[in-house]
Protein backbone atom coordinates (compact mmCIF):
# COMPACT_ATOMS: atom_id res chain seq x y z
CA UNK A 1 0.00 0.00 0.00
CA UNK A 2 1.37 3.41 -0.94
CA UNK A 3 0.93 6.52 1.06
CA UNK A 4 -0.06 9.89 -0.45
CA UNK A 5 2.89 12.16 0.22
CA UNK A 6 3.19 15.76 -0.90
CA UNK A 7 5.78 16.46 -3.56
CA UNK A 8 7.45 18.96 -1.26
CA UNK A 9 7.16 19.87 2.37
CA UNK A 10 8.05 23.50 1.69
CA UNK A 11 5.18 25.89 2.42
CA UNK A 12 3.75 27.83 -0.50
CA UNK A 13 4.61 31.35 0.62
CA UNK A 14 6.54 32.56 -2.37
CA UNK A 15 6.32 36.35 -2.77
CA UNK A 16 5.29 35.90 -6.41
CA UNK A 17 2.24 33.97 -5.24
CA UNK A 18 1.30 36.46 -2.51
CA UNK A 19 1.78 39.65 -4.55
CA UNK A 20 -0.26 40.42 -7.65
CA UNK A 21 1.68 40.86 -10.87
CA UNK A 22 1.36 44.62 -11.19
CA UNK A 23 3.16 44.57 -14.55
CA UNK A 24 0.18 42.74 -16.11
CA UNK A 25 -2.27 45.22 -14.58
CA UNK A 26 -0.18 48.17 -15.75
CA UNK A 27 0.02 46.83 -19.32
CA UNK A 28 -3.73 46.27 -19.43
CA UNK A 29 -4.49 49.75 -18.11
CA UNK A 30 -2.07 51.44 -20.51
CA UNK A 31 -3.77 49.69 -23.43
CA UNK A 32 -7.27 50.35 -22.15
CA UNK A 33 -6.85 54.01 -21.37
CA UNK A 34 -4.99 55.01 -24.53
CA UNK A 35 -7.13 57.94 -25.72
CA UNK A 36 -9.81 57.31 -23.04
CA UNK A 37 -10.53 59.24 -19.85
CA UNK A 38 -12.93 56.84 -18.13
CA UNK A 39 -13.78 53.18 -18.71
CA UNK A 40 -16.50 51.05 -17.16
CA UNK A 41 -15.77 48.20 -14.79
CA UNK A 42 -17.46 45.83 -17.23
CA UNK A 43 -15.18 46.91 -20.09
CA UNK A 44 -12.09 46.59 -17.90
CA UNK A 45 -13.17 43.08 -16.91
CA UNK A 46 -13.90 42.02 -20.52
CA UNK A 47 -10.49 43.23 -21.69
CA UNK A 48 -8.79 41.52 -18.74
CA UNK A 49 -10.44 38.22 -19.69
CA UNK A 50 -9.41 38.69 -23.32
CA UNK A 51 -5.83 39.42 -22.16
CA UNK A 52 -5.92 36.14 -20.20
CA UNK A 53 -4.97 37.72 -16.89
CA UNK A 54 -4.64 35.28 -13.98
CA UNK A 55 -7.82 34.33 -12.14
CA UNK A 56 -6.63 36.16 -9.03
CA UNK A 57 -6.51 39.46 -10.93
CA UNK A 58 -9.82 38.79 -12.70
CA UNK A 59 -11.45 38.26 -9.32
CA UNK A 60 -10.14 41.62 -8.09
CA UNK A 61 -11.39 43.41 -11.22
CA UNK A 62 -14.77 41.69 -10.99
CA UNK A 63 -15.09 42.84 -7.37
CA UNK A 64 -14.88 46.52 -8.35
CA UNK A 65 -18.19 48.33 -7.97
CA UNK A 66 -20.02 48.98 -11.25
CA UNK A 67 -19.28 52.35 -12.73
CA UNK A 68 -16.66 54.20 -14.70
CA UNK A 69 -13.11 54.73 -13.56
CA UNK A 70 -10.24 57.02 -14.48
CA UNK A 71 -6.90 55.27 -14.87
CA UNK A 72 -5.53 56.55 -11.56
CA UNK A 73 -8.65 55.41 -9.68
CA UNK A 74 -8.58 51.87 -11.02
CA UNK A 75 -4.79 51.61 -10.65
CA UNK A 76 -5.12 52.52 -6.97
CA UNK A 77 -7.89 49.98 -6.44
CA UNK A 78 -6.08 47.16 -8.24
CA UNK A 79 -2.60 47.87 -7.00
CA UNK A 80 -1.19 49.01 -10.33
CA UNK A 81 1.22 51.86 -10.77
CA UNK A 82 -0.13 53.56 -13.91
CA UNK A 83 -0.87 57.19 -13.29
Amino acid sequence: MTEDVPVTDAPVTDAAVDEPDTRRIDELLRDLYRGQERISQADIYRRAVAAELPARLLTRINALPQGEYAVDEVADLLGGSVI
Side-chain angles (χ1 to χ4, degrees):
M1 179 181 270
T2 62
E3 197 174 305
D4 289 336
V5 179
V7 174
T8 180
D9 290 332
V12 181
T13 58
D14 186 10
V17 173
D18 292 338
E19 294 297 318
D21 185 358
T22 58
R23 185 181 65 240
R24 301 278 310 265
I25 294 171
D26 291 344
E27 289 171 2
L28 173 73
L29 296 180
R30 269 191 219 95
D31 289 344
L32 274 171
Y33 283 91
R34 189 168 291 136
Q36 302 289 322
E37 273 190 47
R38 300 184 73 75
I39 299 179
S40 72
Q41 180 273 348
D43 287 339
I44 296 168
Y45 183 78
R46 276 193 287 278
R47 291 285 298 273
V49 169
E52 298 180 353
L53 291 184
R56 184 177 195 172
L57 296 176
L58 292 175
T59 300
R60 292 176 66 200
I61 294 168
N62 195 45
L64 292 172
Q66 296 296 318
E68 291 189 343
Y69 295 89
V71 68
D72 58 336
E73 295 170 328
V74 78
D76 286 345
L77 293 169
L78 297 177
S81 61
V82 175
I83 296 177

